[in-house]
Amino acid sequence: MNKIELIKTAQALVANHKGILAMDESGGTIKKRFDLYNISQTEESRRLYRELILTTPHLGDYISGVILFDETIRQSKKDGTSFVKVITDAGIIPGIKVDKGAKAMAGHPHEKVTEGLDGLRGRLTEYAQMGARFAKWRAVITIGDGIPSKACIEANAHALARYAALCQEAGIVPMVEPEILMNGSHSMERCFTVTQEVLRTVFKQLNKQGVMLEGMILKPNMVLPGLTCSKQVGVDEVAVGTVQCFLRTVPAAVPGIMFLSGGQSSELASERLNAMNKLFMGKLPWGLSFSYGRAIQEPALSIWRGESANVTKAQEALLLRSKCNWAARQGKYSAAMEK
Ligand code: 5MM
């Protein structure tokens, strides 16, 4: 493990007000996204879409890193240039999703545990040789009647910590993603309590496994009421609740907290990140940034719809979302930027 390189990479991911573009949808997830717009599901259509994203002019002005799926890191532009070269030429750091997905947890109805540790050391070595400098593993936690169970939280935290230790051994920065889903009618207070418990458990396990906190990134959910909760809350309340939860649970040694969007609208994801940075500017030990998938890609995908004639407009939409979130990192986002 080269500690200095790990720390440099982790810091570079949060530097210059930039954030991460998550484009690591696995086969099933990208199919769901393409189905919304009747885009055909082939290896070539996925390659074309990923080429559209990665060749967006000036993407590197706002985006520090991109997370790829296994298929994507092996693909190239139509002219034969590998995607990894396109990314690094744009000044962006290539990352890779290494989990094998959240699977039903034995004996725990409605709960999931993420798999993928078997053979991970070998896969990380290969990804590092291909140019990946950071990796992502996502654990999925559901709030419901009597869940999450301690067993689910502990199993997922343990897997995240073992994954993170293996990444650092391979010289790859682990992005640790414990996602508490927005689905459900739970209150914001319940989301706060669960997020707090999950993060405490995750950091306990990271410490047990000897993970160097300065060389990792946390990718969490914001603290929000469930999607069908009767009491929704304002942007500032989300910002205050989220930051309070993280101040209680995330050690100052972690360089960056880069939120997932989790199904929030693009605008709301920018507004909430903006509020956090505006209200707490200069008062926090870590950078607060974004690692959005849907909240950056959705407008571009809805314009592209699989048509080459729409590529330029789709790239403009992708760049606008990247710029809005870059501004939100500085507390400088406003609705006027959307026009
Ligand atoms: C881009 O979507 C990622 C891959 O999901 P699957 O493994 O289910 O295919 C996902 O992990 C994503 O990186 C995070 O959830 C953040 O994306 P959102 O859309 O929540 O910002």
Side-chain angles (χ1 to χ4, degrees):
M1 183 203 307
N2 182 334
K3 287 190 176 181
I4 307 254
E5 280 308 311
L6 286 171
I7 294 170
K8 271 197 206 160
T9 302
Q11 287 177 348
L13 288 168
V14 275
N16 302 320
H17 316 299
K18 295 183 192 177
I20 289 175
L21 166 55
M23 49 182 290
D24 57 313
E25 298 87 357
S26 53
T29 305
I30 194 75
K31 180 172 183 328
K32 264 195 252 163
R33 309 274 185 265
F34 277 17
D35 282 353
L36 280 175
Y37 303 107
N38 293 320
I39 301 168
S40 72
Q41 186 58 228
T42 62
E43 187 175 343
E44 179 56 10
S45 66
R46 294 191 293 270
R47 195 200 62 74
L48 275 171
Y49 178 55
R50 267 76 185 242
E51 177 166 340
L52 176 160
I53 294 178
L54 296 174
T55 57
T56 297
H58 307 293
L59 193 63
D61 292 353
Y62 311 115
I63 297 295
S64 57
V66 290
I67 316 173
L68 306 171
F69 182 52
D70 180 77
E71 176 184 85
T72 320
I73 198 171
R74 298 171 195 280
Q75 287 177 323
S76 303
K77 262 177 36 172
K78 210 170 184 67
D79 69 7
T81 316
S82 76
F83 279 166
V84 172
K85 179 161 169 28
V86 175
I87 294 164
T88 44
D89 285 354
I92 298 174
I93 302 174
I96 180 78
K97 180 228 295 295
V98 298
D99 66 67
K100 294 273 188 185
K103 307 285 161 62
M105 186 170 167
H108 292 81
H110 313 300
E111 295 197 283
K112 291 187 167 174
V113 62
T114 302
E115 295 184 351
L117 288 172
D118 286 353
L120 181 57
R121 177 178 273 133
R123 289 194 290 126
L124 286 168
T125 306
E126 189 196 6
Y127 288 138
Q129 281 161 358
M130 292 169 89
R133 288 173 52 204
F134 73 103
K136 192 199 85 177
W137 177 292
R138 173 171 171 252
V140 179
I141 308 285
T142 305
I143 298 181
D145 278 347
I147 60 171
S149 64
K150 283 213 179 314
C152 175
I153 295 173
E154 279 171 20
N156 276 296
H158 178 75
L160 276 167
R162 285 190 55 206
Y163 136 82
L166 282 162
C167 283
Q168 291 192 335
E169 178 190 85
I172 288 181
V173 169
M175 173 172 253
V176 171
E177 181 180 3
E179 174 174 5
I180 290 137
L181 297 177
M182 282 161 59
N183 308 46
S185 58
H186 55 270
S187 63
M188 178 166 169
E189 290 73 22
R190 176 112 167 92
C191 180
F192 187 107
T193 309
V194 172
T195 305
Q196 183 169 252
E197 185 182 353
V198 168
L199 291 174
R200 282 188 178 147
T201 311
V202 166
F203 279 100
K204 196 170 168 192
Q205 287 293 333
L206 289 168
N207 286 323
K208 269 192 186 165
Q209 298 298 327
V211 173
M212 181 188 42
L213 301 182
E214 291 82 354
M216 64 160 277
I217 294 288
L218 181 71
K219 173 167 175 166
N221 52 283
M222 295 180 192
V223 175
L224 302 169
L227 280 175
T228 53
C229 173
S230 52
K231 190 180 167 223
Q232 293 297 319
V233 299
V235 167
D236 284 357
E237 204 173 326
V238 168
V240 170
T242 302
V243 170
Q244 187 180 44
C245 183
F246 287 83
L247 280 171
R248 288 183 183 181
T249 51
V250 182
V254 173
I257 297 178
M258 306 183 83
F259 291 101
L260 58 92
S261 58
Q264 303 176 54
S265 73
S266 299
E267 290 80 5
L268 212 43
S270 298
E271 275 178 49
R272 287 167 169 165
L273 179 64
N274 186 67
M276 284 183 233
N277 280 302
K278 200 169 175 176
L279 291 171
F280 295 94
M281 185 78 67
K283 296 179 189 150
L284 302 173
W286 3 254
L288 283 186
S289 187
F290 58 93
S291 174
Y292 293 160
R294 282 163 286 181
I296 292 183
Q297 292 185 49
E298 172 53 33
L301 186 59
S302 72
I303 293 169
W304 178 55
R305 293 173 186 256
E307 301 292 335
S308 56
N310 300 334
V311 166
T312 304
K313 286 263 173 265
Q315 289 181 326
E316 284 167 9
L318 190 86
L319 195 70
L320 176 63
R321 289 265 51 85
S322 307
K323 189 176 180 179
C324 286
N325 290 310
W326 170 83
R329 269 219 60 185
Q330 304 163 70
K332 290 182 179 165
Y333 165 79
S334 71
M337 285 186 74
E338 301 290 350
K339 291 179 186 125

